[in-house]
Amino acid sequence: MSVARAAAGPQTGPQPAPDGDSVPQRLLAAATRLFADRGYDRTSVQEIVEAAGVTKGALYHYFGSKDDLLHEVYGRVLRLQQERLDALAGSRAPVEERLREAAADVVVTTIENLDDTTIFFRSMHHLGPEKLAQVRAERRRYHERFRALVEEGQRAGVFTTATPADLVVDYHFGSVHHLGAWYRAEGRLSAQEVAGHLADLLMRALRP
């Protein structure tokens, strides 16, 4: 049985997007629900526009194609995480505090957007070569910023150098990317508690 509970309630199937949202928001909300419920490859453009309450012309105006929607589903989460990491890494706090906060933050933001991240990792192979390369470059930038914190602490003698920084980063993000496989609505730990445990595991692995 899972030990964690989801930040939001269980999905009940596709519902029309709220009328108060902008057209792009409505399309993204509808696509996210449908991709999570049915899978990217089994969801048609017609189903997305019907759920969003817009026309196909509106979809093609804002996104151009269905894989543009898939790209943006994950892209908006990655942009949020990059912004938060940049702010944490650039603060004046001790490096061990900055790294722990960053390690916890990526867990919380992943759980809070679990449909988006699960959809993407399950369906990213459907992206065209150009968009796939773009996403990989954006993810690499995030990982390199995170790795720089590990390296900073290693140079300062705060973290052990016994394990290469690249392996430390892969260790933590392997756990993050696996959240969609086991995190469920039922369970006793909040997103923040799961984040705290995983961040603590990382920090213990880096002790000199």
Side-chain angles (χ1 to χ4, degrees):
M1 181 178 293
S2 171
V3 297
R5 60 172 182 268
Q11 296 292 330
T12 57
Q15 299 293 327
D19 290 338
D21 290 343
S22 70
V23 170
Q25 289 173 326
R26 290 164 67 183
L27 284 164
L28 280 168
T32 299
R33 288 193 304 273
L34 285 163
F35 293 163
D37 187 53
R38 303 180 186 179
Y40 173 85
D41 54 337
R42 292 187 296 276
T43 299
S44 69
V45 168
Q46 184 62 39
E47 289 170 329
I48 294 170
V49 298
E50 287 179 358
V54 302
T55 65
K56 282 187 179 180
L59 185 150
Y60 293 129
H61 173 74
Y62 287 105
F63 293 101
S65 65
K66 192 173 78 166
D67 72 328
D68 280 345
L69 275 167
L70 176 62
H71 179 265
E72 181 59 18
V73 162
Y74 183 60
R76 59 184 174 177
V77 179
L78 190 54
R79 287 192 298 272
L80 168 68
Q81 291 176 332
Q82 185 71 59
E83 179 181 341
R84 292 169 68 94
L85 175 60
D86 287 343
L88 289 168
S91 79
R92 295 177 177 270
V95 64
E96 59 267 39
E97 182 179 324
R98 285 180 280 141
L99 180 63
R100 190 191 183 283
E101 288 187 15
D105 183 75
V106 71
V107 175
V108 171
T109 52
T110 296
I111 289 174
E112 288 177 344
N113 299 277
L114 200 55
D115 271 353
D116 301 52
T117 53
T118 301
I119 288 164
F120 184 79
F121 287 115
R122 187 173 62 196
S123 307
M124 63 184 294
H125 62 282
H126 290 290
L127 289 175
E130 184 176 342
K131 288 189 179 66
L132 188 57
Q134 180 183 346
V135 168
R136 284 175 172 165
E138 290 166 349
R139 287 177 60 199
R140 190 180 313 114
R141 177 173 176 255
Y142 184 93
H143 285 197
E144 288 173 352
R145 185 70 157 138
F146 192 95
R147 185 186 65 207
L149 285 173
V150 178
E151 292 171 335
E152 180 185 341
Q154 289 176 328
R155 289 193 301 270
V158 176
F159 303 146
T160 180
T161 58
T163 305
D166 281 337
L167 190 56
V168 173
V169 174
D170 288 344
Y171 164 78
H172 187 65
F173 283 94
S175 299
V176 173
H177 295 162
H178 196 59
L179 285 167
W182 63 266
Y183 192 87
R184 297 294 181 268
E186 67 277 8
R188 64 181 182 271
L189 298 180
S190 68
Q192 288 73 20
E193 289 169 327
V194 172
H197 285 303
L198 292 179
D200 287 342
L201 283 171
L202 176 67
M203 300 310 291
R204 284 198 291 271
L206 284 169
R207 285 176 184 165

